[in-house]
Amino acid sequence: MATNFLAHEKIWFDKFKYDDAERRFYEQMNGPVAGASRQVRAARGAALGFSQARKELQQAISKLEARLNVLEKSSPGHRATAPQTQHVSPMRQVEPPAKKPATPAEDDEDDDIDLFGSDNEEEDKEAAQLREERLRQYAEKKAKKPALVAKSSILLDVKPWDDETDMAQLEACVRSIQLDGLVWGASKLVPVGYGIRKLQIQCVVEDDKVGTDLLEEEITKFEEHVQSVDIAAFNKI
């Protein structure tokens, strides 16, 4: 198709041949000088002719490409075919299978299943035994540990009736008092005046067992020798 198109186009491809023949003719007629000038003019003309021919050729090729594009677009094979659509049948909803009612035998089997298992029961028993053993050991350890006992040191002033009171007998009466949590300590006779002396005696008591009120009550029971009892000093140990 391209060859037939170029055959009908009027393009002078052999112009340089005619220019060369014309140059040679004038060289023979006019001699070397004229021939040289003529040769220059011929060369320029050939260059111009070649440039013009080149432009004409490019135009012809452009026209040819344009026609080919038009022919390709108009050909039946170039037409795009629409994609075929596939008809999809609507999805059917699948119903879940009906649940089979459990028979009495199956219910009995389910009841017989031990969800926790015998192993768990054994582990629970072992854990309970271990806990009881630890509690027992703790109780024994706590029982062996001596409890902290709060004690106090008390200094008592025991006064007689007069200067004729036997102070040795008075002290013996006081020391004769024996109570759980009471320990008697040092003692001395302190002058009061007019020849009268008082018994100053120290003791240590457990606070939970013996109090100052109990000591005063027990000492004042000896009415023949004791007039009164005072707390001279009281200190926690």
Side-chain angles (χ1 to χ4, degrees):
M1 184 181 295
T3 305
N4 295 332
F5 171 74
L6 292 176
H8 294 288
E9 294 293 332
K10 295 179 181 181
I11 301 174
W12 193 3
F13 292 102
D14 297 335
K15 185 177 182 300
F16 69 93
K17 295 181 180 181
Y18 294 96
D19 292 337
D20 189 22
E22 184 179 3
R23 178 182 54 79
R24 291 179 183 177
F25 172 75
Y26 285 106
E27 285 180 357
Q28 292 176 3
M29 294 293 296
N30 301 325
V33 177
S37 61
R38 186 64 179 176
Q39 184 177 2
V40 173
R41 290 195 299 269
R44 292 178 180 176
L48 292 174
F50 180 75
S51 177
Q52 184 178 1
R54 183 177 179 182
K55 291 181 179 180
E56 294 176 354
L57 179 60
Q58 290 179 351
Q59 293 177 358
I61 292 173
S62 299
K63 293 180 180 180
L64 178 60
E65 290 178 352
R67 291 185 179 181
L68 289 175
N69 291 332
V70 173
L71 292 174
E72 288 178 357
K73 291 181 180 180
S74 61
S75 60
H78 185 71
R79 296 177 182 175
T81 58
Q84 296 181 358
T85 58
Q86 295 180 357
H87 297 283
V88 180
S89 59
M91 184 181 295
R92 293 183 301 172
Q93 184 176 2
V94 180
E95 297 180 356
K99 184 176 179 181
K100 182 179 179 181
T103 60
E106 292 177 352
D107 292 338
D108 295 339
E109 291 178 357
D110 293 339
D111 295 338
D112 294 338
I113 295 175
D114 188 1
L115 297 178
F116 297 98
S118 58
D119 294 339
N120 294 336
E121 293 179 357
E122 293 178 358
E123 291 178 358
D124 293 341
K125 291 180 181 179
E126 293 178 357
Q129 292 177 357
L130 180 61
R131 182 172 60 256
E132 292 177 358
E133 180 65 19
R134 289 181 178 177
L135 290 174
R136 184 183 62 79
Q137 293 177 358
Y138 176 75
E140 291 178 357
K141 184 177 179 180
K142 186 176 181 180
K144 292 179 181 180
K145 185 177 180 180
L148 182 62
V149 179
K151 296 181 180 181
S152 300
S153 175
I154 304 174
L155 184 63
L156 299 173
D157 284 344
V158 183
K159 298 176 182 179
W161 289 104
D162 51 28
D163 58 345
E164 295 181 358
T165 303
D166 188 356
M167 298 302 295
Q169 185 64 32
L170 186 149
E171 182 177 355
C173 292
V174 172
R175 290 186 179 273
S176 66
I177 300 172
Q178 300 294 325
L179 298 173
D180 185 18
L182 171 63
V183 178
W184 293 108
S187 64
K188 65 178 180 178
L189 296 177
V190 179
V192 177
Y194 304 102
I196 301 174
R197 296 179 298 176
K198 65 179 178 180
L199 175 66
Q200 196 171 70
I201 185 170
Q202 189 175 10
C203 65
V204 176
V205 298
E206 295 182 10
D207 296 341
D208 294 338
K209 296 179 180 180
V210 181
T212 57
D213 295 338
L214 179 60
L215 285 175
E216 292 179 3
E217 182 181 353
E218 292 295 327
I219 294 173
T220 53
K221 287 181 179 180
F222 301 98
E223 297 178 354
E224 295 179 359
H225 300 85
V226 178
Q227 178 187 5
S228 64
V229 179
D230 297 326
I231 305 298
F234 186 92
N235 297 311
K236 289 288 186 180
I237 300 177

